[in-house]
């Protein structure tokens, strides 16, 4: 048995944890560059809380609130230039996966004079600025990963880069900040977190430790299925979802994602399907494809979810991740050809070729059940 396990992030979880551990914000320098989107950081109250603490501590800060959904290389280059000009000591990312992933890119670009595409080298002359991550969604787990996923217009897809130096120094997880999410966003991000746990569990790179975390994340998601389906999402459910999201992030920090994410990227890039929902569309066929190669693990997933089989699982995913099935075979061929170029398929527990991806997409996107 051989494996490595490393999480470079101090996690502080709980209601009002930013105030309880405000010293973590105060000890990373005197100039903070805040990276966020236009809405969630403010709507959640997280930006107000952080700004108040920084002001009381006499820490200068600048806010970059122009992070796009699915940020591009051009978007993070703009923010990186501003952070460099501001002479930031640290980067504070507030928001969902897009701002947190953008914050990691900004932490590199603020101190390295490189072209944005060079982020994908994963090796930087100057060490990235320290990052504080404050999620306002319960989905990506980016607050505990060393990865940043950015949109590549040149490749017509999303692609990740990573380095151990990009683990956020501190992550504050307060479920209060997720209460401003809409119902649809809550569901989409929950499915994303679930897909992280499942893909990591069924990855060739899984370890005994990552499996423990994945099992716990799947179990938590299972406890939240009924509230998600019925729209009865109280604070206790939001805490479970946020915890599951964090655990899922820890899992993929070691395993990466597999073919589900690779397939889902095209739905997001070409059709603007929310990332988590795009993943959910393929989950049933993904489990069917892998079943004979990971029967014990997949049966355990069903047990943890409290369901009988793949059909029942598919019905749940259809309700949580509904999309119109209006895709052509030509579109699906294009998406499969893009997905096979990603790293994810090579991590899948069963070997995958482009024809396999086409078949999974065809069964998922040309289904007549809906």
């Amino acid at each position: 048995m051989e494996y490595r396990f490393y999480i470079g992030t101090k996690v502080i979880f709980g209601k009002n944890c930013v105030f309880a551990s405000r010293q973590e914000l105060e000890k990373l320098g005197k100039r903070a560059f805040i990276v966020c989107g236009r809405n969630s950081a403010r709507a959640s109250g997280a930006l107000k809380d952080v700004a108040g603490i920084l002001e009381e501590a006499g820490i200068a800060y600048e806010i970059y609130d122009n992070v796009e959904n699915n940020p591009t290389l051009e978007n993070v280059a703009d923010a990186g230039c501003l952070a460099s000009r501001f002479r930031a000591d640290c980067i504070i990312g507030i928001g969902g996966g897009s701002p947190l992933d953008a914050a990691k890119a900004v932490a590199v670009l603020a101190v390295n004079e490189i072209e944005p595409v060079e982020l994908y080298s994963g090796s930087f002359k100057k060490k990235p600025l320290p990052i504080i991550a404050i999620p306002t969604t319960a989905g990506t787990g980016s607050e505990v990963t060393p990865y940043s996923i950015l949109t590549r217009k040149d490749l017509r897809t999303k692609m990740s880069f990573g380095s151990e130096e990009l683990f956020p120094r501190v992550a504050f997880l307060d479920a209060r900040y997720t209460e401003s999410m809409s119902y649809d966003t809550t569901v989409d991000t929950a499915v994303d977190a679930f897909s992280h746990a499942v893909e990591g569990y069924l990855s060739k790179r899984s370890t005994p430790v990552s499996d423990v975390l994945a099992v716990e994340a799947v179990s938590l998601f299972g406890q939240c299925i009924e509230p998600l389906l019925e729209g009865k999402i109280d604070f206790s459910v939001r805490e479970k979802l946020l915890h599951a999201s964090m655990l899922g992030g820890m899992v993929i920090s070691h395993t990466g994602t597999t073919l589900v994410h690779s397939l889902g990227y095209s739905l997001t890039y070409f059709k603007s399907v929310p990332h988590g929902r795009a993943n959910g569309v393929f989950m049933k066929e993904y489990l069917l494809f892998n079943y004979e190669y990971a029967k014990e693990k997949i049966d355990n997933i069903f047990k943890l979810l409290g369901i009988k089989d793949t059909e029942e699982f598919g019905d749940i995913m259809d309700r949580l991740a509904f999309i119109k099935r209006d895709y052509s075979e030509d579109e699906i061929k294009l998406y499969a050809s893009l997905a096979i170029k990603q790293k994810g398929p090579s991590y899948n527990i069963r070997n995958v070729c482009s024809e396999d991806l086409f078949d999974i997409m065809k069964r998922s996107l040309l289904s007549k059940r809906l």
Side-chain angles (χ1 to χ4, degrees), residues 255-288:
T255 67
T257 55
T258 62
L259 62 87
V260 169
H261 272 65
S262 300
L263 295 174
Y265 288 152
S266 285
L267 299 195
T268 299
Y269 184 86
F270 291 102
K271 298 290 187 177
S272 298
V273 177
H275 172 61
R277 183 167 303 215
N279 292 346
V281 168
F282 300 111
M283 289 295 290
K284 176 192 173 184
E285 295 298 333
Y286 161 73
L287 293 185
L288 283 171

Side-chain angles (χ1 to χ4, degrees), residues 30-46:
K30 289 296 183 182
R31 301 181 69 80
F33 191 78
I34 299 174
V35 177
C36 60
R38 295 179 180 176
N39 299 310
S40 68
R42 288 185 172 86
S44 66

Side-chain angles (χ1 to χ4, degrees), residues 164-240:
E164 283 192 356
E165 295 178 334
L166 290 176
F167 273 111
R169 191 74 58 86
V170 182
F172 291 101
L173 288 90
D174 185 341
R176 291 185 308 117
Y177 297 147
T178 70
E179 291 182 310
S180 59
M181 282 193 296
S182 68
Y183 170 74
D184 285 346
T185 302
T186 299
V187 173
D188 292 340
T189 53
V191 173
D192 186 24
F194 173 66
S195 67
H196 291 161
V198 172
E199 288 178 76
Y201 194 39
L202 303 183
S203 170
K204 289 178 180 176
R205 303 172 74 197
S206 70
T207 71
V209 178
S210 69
D211 281 356
V212 170
L213 300 176
V215 164
E216 179 64 13
V218 171
S219 176
L220 286 166
F221 181 79
Q223 296 170 39
C224 297
I225 288 176
E226 186 173 339
L228 288 170
L229 290 173
E230 296 181 357
K232 297 178 180 179
I233 305 168
D234 60 18
F235 186 79
S236 66
V237 172
R238 292 197 178 277
E239 281 207 319
K240 288 178 181 179

